[in-house]
Amino acid sequence: MLAAVGAALTMVLAGCGDSGGSGSDDKGHDKGGSAQDEQRTEARAVLTAAAKKSAAQSSYKTVQTGQGGTDRSEMLYQKKPAASVIKAEVTKSSASPDGISHMLSMGGKTYVKSDKVPGKSWYSMDIGGGGTPRAAGYLAEFTGALAATKSTKWVAEEKVGGHPADHYRGKVVLDDLASYNGSALSKTLRDIYVESARKQGMSSVVIDVWVGKDDLVLKSRETGTGKKGREVINEEYSQFGSVPAIKAPPAGSVATWDEFIAGAARP
């Protein structure tokens, strides 16, 4: 699943955190916490609630990176009307001289930022569907899979972006997840997630999720070993319900695919 955004971009154009906790002992338990603190250690219950509340948000921002901060993508996700914006770091080329691919998707079309057509700043392609759901990141899959795993535990209270959050971790065995039928993860997302991980040669992954005190997911990390060795996906989430409305570019600024191809062929 690593570099999923990069893979999506390729198809169109051709899914560590804080260490240690505050106020915790060497076993990761809060020192002298209140009843509310004890409730936060009920990992699966908190994660199930967080998965539902976060997924219900009308919009949010996702920043996705790979191991060591590589493959950075900034994504805006909007539920209604379905739309997304993806700004991803890519290899510098004539099509992306600055090393940034900027795409906006909505209404079954993808608009790609480009200066190849004089007088136009975008070109469009029909992709079907209603936007690019991957801009939502893997929030639902990671949080739901962790909530579905019996070994999941509370680690510590930490800060994400200056906000206090509860850190949860578990080892997700894909064979076990494949038979999960609870409310934390839909069957559709479960099957897609398990199939994708298995195709990469993974049998299990370690997932970390940081949940804010308002039960919104602030950060997630998936670590696994597959055919390409160790892979990591980091995601941070923000601007829940407050992402500026995503709109299609003005019609006059959008070139057709044929116009883009012709422009790109010019010296």
Side-chain angles (χ1 to χ4, degrees):
M1 283 152 292
L2 181 61
V5 171
L9 289 172
T10 301
M11 288 188 290
V12 170
L13 296 173
C16 280
D18 300 325
S19 60
S22 58
S24 61
D25 60 21
D26 58 358
K27 295 182 180 179
H29 298 115
D30 189 74
K31 295 179 179 179
S34 64
Q36 183 177 4
D37 293 332
E38 291 178 2
Q39 290 178 357
R40 301 300 290 181
T41 65
E42 296 295 329
R44 299 177 70 191
V46 172
L47 288 163
T48 298
K52 293 179 179 179
K53 184 172 182 179
S54 299
Q57 300 303 302
S58 60
S59 64
Y60 57 86
K61 177 181 178 180
T62 304
V63 175
Q64 184 186 86
T65 57
Q67 189 168 349
T70 59
D71 303 317
R72 180 182 175 86
S73 297
E74 292 190 10
M75 304 176 282
L76 302 180
Y77 165 73
Q78 175 180 289
K79 184 178 289 187
K80 292 182 180 181
S84 68
V85 176
I86 300 177
K87 293 182 180 180
E89 293 181 357
V90 297
T91 302
K92 290 185 178 181
S93 65
S94 59
S96 299
D98 58 356
I100 300 294
S101 177
H102 184 179
M103 299 196 315
L104 186 156
S105 299
M106 70 181 308
K109 286 184 177 292
T110 287
Y111 303 90
V112 183
K113 195 80 171 175
S114 174
D115 60 359
K116 294 298 182 182
V117 181
K120 310 284 186 177
S121 53
W122 302 82
Y123 67 89
S124 68
M125 296 178 292
D126 291 322
I127 59 171
T132 306
R134 206 55 294 136
Y138 291 100
L139 188 158
E141 291 93 323
F142 290 168
T143 308
L146 200 55
T149 300
K150 294 180 180 179
S151 65
T152 298
K153 294 182 179 180
W154 177 85
V155 177
E157 182 179 300
E158 301 170 1
K159 285 193 174 181
V160 176
H163 302 287
D166 290 287
H167 179 185
Y168 303 93
R169 176 184 295 145
K171 181 179 181 180
V172 178
V173 177
L174 297 175
D175 285 348
D176 294 340
L177 183 62
S179 61
Y180 175 75
N181 290 305
S183 61
L185 185 64
S186 71
K187 183 179 183 299
T188 299
L189 284 181
R190 179 202 71 189
D191 291 346
I192 292 173
Y193 179 69
V194 169
E195 180 182 3
S196 177
R198 283 174 170 169
K199 283 183 177 179
Q200 295 185 68
M202 297 179 181
S203 59
S204 65
V205 294
V206 173
I207 296 179
D208 293 79
V209 170
W210 288 258
V211 180
K213 299 302 181 180
D214 56 359
D215 284 339
L216 290 174
V217 180
L218 299 180
K219 183 178 177 180
S220 68
R221 179 176 65 227
E222 182 206 55
T223 306
T225 301
K227 298 175 183 177
K228 297 182 180 180
R230 186 174 186 268
E231 298 187 15
V232 179
I233 300 176
N234 300 290
E235 293 187 344
E236 292 198 29
Y237 315 99
S238 61
Q239 299 184 36
F240 286 100
S242 62
V243 169
I246 300 172
K247 299 179 180 179
S253 68
V254 180
T256 65
W257 172 253
D258 289 341
E259 289 174 327
F260 168 73
I261 293 299
R266 295 191 186 98

